[in-house]
Amino acid sequence: MIKKKIILSAFIVVNLILLILLQSFNALYLYLFALLTVVVFLRVMNSKSLTFIIVMILTYFIYIGFMFYHNYVSPLPSSGNDDLRFELLADNYFYAWQADTEPYIFQNSTFYSQLLAVIYFIFGKNILIAGYLNIILHIYSCCILLKIINKVVDKYQNILISLYSFNIFHILNTVITLREMFIIFLIILYVYTLMNFLKEEKFKFIIYSIIVSLVASLFHIGLVSLIGFSGIVYSLFSKRSWLLRLIIACITLFIVSIIFFTSDDSKLDLVQKKDDVLAMDVIESRTDYIIVEPPSLILKPLYIIAKTFFFLDKPFFWDISNVSDVLAYFEKLLYLIPIFLYIIKNKYFRHNDYINILILLVIFLSVIYGMGTENYGTAIRHREKFVYLLYIIPIYYILSKEREFT
């Protein structure tokens, strides 16, 4: 307990020094975020693991360093220009609200930019705000992820947290103006509600998961499909009557269908391109992978499988041409190896519903995101939202083998 108090005191002192320095950037409102940071770390301090606390403090300052480097030294690499578009749209909302005019909206995904614009409107505009919010949210997501891990394994938790937290792609997507961290946080919260349902089998947790799905869909409309996944989980893992399970599954899938067919969001459109456009896209980027959608419904399942496979498995070995490709190649091994392990050594996992739900969710989200992705740079950014959930599989296997020999 004394060590925890010393660590927390040192963190608060260093944080205050950092905030004093921030005055020169006209970012006084970041003091409010500092208070939020302290609240988050007080939550972290409830952990019984001193190692976890140290990992979180290291995470905080590493991410802060990357955020300042990105904003004041040199922009960090990212896939596409999503961060620039979100920043521009947030500016459009902010300046339009100041002038009491209509903002120029150039994309369907607006909620994240509106959220940033509200903060700008209340406290004043500052380029650090998006990254700082993401960092705080990341730390809190680690706290919930630790709870999830503790439900499955009782050792090596901090190794799993470190693999998640110190992933270079995750860092890059967090400290710039991207909504990824909000989506990741909500996916982790969604998983946590489902695991609580498995433990207590109370229908309220299915309701909670549906609410989380609706909030997540504000950031990415495709995540509304998680409502249907909640129904699938209830039908597969509930011990209620088969009729009730079937009714719940049908209701949730019906809700998803209604939202999909009534929404005008372009992200819900499956990728359909003509041959001349395909040729142009291939020339535009070496990281593109274009799979032509078959005209026959019979071949549609093969098309979905191919899109999902490329989404998860790109880049291939022969795609490697720079350091980023090398990092991406080894990054994919972190979740492909667990998938193969789950298949080959299924007898160790098939009776663990926690692991089964994680596998089903990763496959489900891979299909959802894979159908709308044709560039493996974008694929890396999307799959980083959920593939870390599979890191727990090798640890569970190792502990299962240890128990066999004791």
Side-chain angles (χ1 to χ4, degrees):
M1 183 60 69
I2 295 176
K3 288 183 178 179
K4 288 185 180 181
K5 290 181 178 179
I6 293 173
I7 290 173
L8 181 59
S9 300
F11 166 76
I12 293 174
V13 170
V14 175
N15 204 44
L16 287 174
I17 294 173
L18 174 65
L19 290 169
I20 291 171
L21 295 175
L22 285 174
Q23 285 184 336
S24 60
F25 295 102
N26 296 318
L28 290 177
Y29 63 88
L30 284 179
Y31 280 107
L32 294 176
F33 293 114
L35 293 176
L36 180 57
T37 304
V38 172
V39 169
V40 170
F41 268 94
L42 286 172
R43 176 67 188 84
V44 172
M45 294 300 287
N46 286 332
S47 169
K48 296 178 181 179
S49 171
L50 184 61
T51 304
F52 175 73
I53 295 169
I54 293 173
V55 168
M56 289 298 94
I57 291 176
L58 285 175
T59 295
Y60 177 78
F61 288 111
I62 289 172
Y63 277 54
I64 287 288
F66 271 95
M67 181 183 69
F68 272 86
Y69 182 87
H70 170 70
N71 286 292
Y72 296 108
V73 180
S74 177
L76 295 171
S78 63
S79 67
N81 60 352
D82 279 7
D83 56 327
L84 300 178
R85 290 190 291 108
F86 284 127
E87 287 176 2
L88 179 59
L89 186 56
D91 287 347
N92 289 352
Y93 277 111
F94 172 59
Y95 292 121
W97 291 343
Q98 280 192 323
D100 197 21
T101 59
E102 288 295 320
Y104 170 58
I105 302 172
F106 51 84
Q107 63 182 28
N108 285 327
S109 301
T110 61
F111 184 76
Y112 175 60
S113 294
Q114 288 178 324
L115 179 63
L116 293 179
V118 167
I119 298 173
Y120 294 164
F121 191 78
I122 296 174
F123 298 108
K125 186 179 182 305
N126 189 281
I127 59 175
L128 297 175
I129 185 64
Y132 205 91
L133 274 174
N134 286 344
I135 291 169
I136 294 173
L137 207 55
H138 166 74
I139 292 171
Y140 205 79
S141 75
C142 289
C143 297
I144 301 177
L145 184 60
L146 182 64
K147 286 181 173 292
I148 292 172
I149 293 170
N150 284 333
K151 289 179 179 293
V152 185
V153 297
D154 55 5
K155 291 170 66 176
Y156 309 122
Q157 296 96 327
N158 291 309
I159 293 176
L160 296 171
I161 292 294
S162 296
L163 286 174
Y164 163 70
S165 196
F166 297 131
N167 184 313
I168 185 62
F169 295 106
H170 185 70
I171 294 174
L172 296 180
N173 292 335
T174 299
V175 301
I176 64 179
T177 309
L178 284 177
R179 58 187 174 174
E180 312 306 300
M181 196 58 243
F182 283 83
I183 294 174
I184 290 170
F185 172 77
L186 289 167
I187 288 176
I188 290 175
L189 188 60
Y190 176 82
V191 172
Y192 185 61
T193 61
L194 291 184
M195 287 196 166
N196 280 329
F197 167 72
L198 287 181
K199 181 180 179 181
E200 302 182 29
E201 201 174 332
K202 293 181 178 178
F203 190 72
K204 68 177 183 180
F205 292 113
I206 294 296
I207 299 296
Y208 295 159
S209 71
I210 291 174
I211 293 172
V212 173
S213 304
L214 290 172
V215 175
S217 70
L218 296 174
F219 292 94
H220 193 291
I221 188 63
L223 293 175
V224 75
S225 60
L226 290 177
I227 296 175
F229 187 80
S230 296
I232 293 171
V233 167
Y234 187 82
S235 65
L236 291 177
F237 297 98
S238 175
K239 296 181 177 62
R240 304 290 182 180
S241 69
W242 67 268
L243 181 59
L244 178 60
R245 286 183 285 159
L246 179 62
I247 291 172
I248 295 299
C250 290
I251 289 174
T252 54
L253 291 173
F254 178 74
I255 292 172
V256 173
S257 300
I258 292 295
I259 296 175
F260 269 39
F261 286 114
T262 57
S263 174
D264 60 353
D265 195 302
S266 60
K267 289 187 180 296
L268 293 180
D269 297 330
L270 297 182
V271 179
Q272 299 180 16
K273 298 188 177 183
K274 296 182 180 179
D275 292 341
D276 55 341
V277 179
L278 293 178
M280 186 190 313
D281 284 349
V282 172
I283 294 173
E284 283 183 356
S285 174
R286 69 175 183 84
T287 57
D288 285 346
Y289 57 89
I290 309 299
I291 303 173
V292 180
E293 183 176 356
S296 171
L297 286 176
I298 298 176
L299 297 176
K300 201 60 163 283
L302 292 177
Y303 171 72
I304 295 173
I305 292 171
K307 291 278 285 185
T308 304
F309 173 76
F310 274 73
F311 174 80
L312 286 172
D313 207 41
K314 276 282 196 172
F316 299 129
F317 184 76
W318 52 85
D319 292 322
I320 297 175
S321 63
N322 54 42
V323 176
S324 296
D325 291 336
V326 173
L327 292 173
Y329 186 82
F330 283 101
E331 175 269 341
K332 76 174 186 177
L333 296 180
L334 289 174
Y335 61 85
L336 287 183
I337 290 175
I339 291 175
F340 290 135
L341 185 62
Y342 179 86
I343 295 171
I344 296 171
K345 301 292 185 179
N346 185 256
K347 68 176 183 178
Y348 291 97
F349 307 107
R350 61 189 175 202
H351 298 300
N352 189 307
D353 288 342
Y354 292 138
I355 297 247
N356 291 330
I357 277 188
L358 295 181
I359 283 285
L360 288 174
L361 180 62
V362 168
I363 293 172
F364 182 84
L365 289 175
S366 295
V367 172
I368 296 299
Y369 278 106
M371 291 304 296
T373 305
E374 297 178 320
N375 177 284
Y376 73 74
T378 304
I380 292 170
R381 178 159 55 85
H382 285 324
R383 67 198 189 203
E384 281 303 314
K385 294 180 175 76
F386 52 85
V387 292
Y388 54 85
L389 295 170
L390 299 182
Y391 296 170
I392 198 170
I393 288 177
I395 299 296
Y396 181 82
Y397 173 73
I398 291 171
L399 293 177
S400 297
K401 294 293 287 184
E402 285 181 358
R403 283 191 288 269
E404 275 189 352
F405 292 106
T406 56

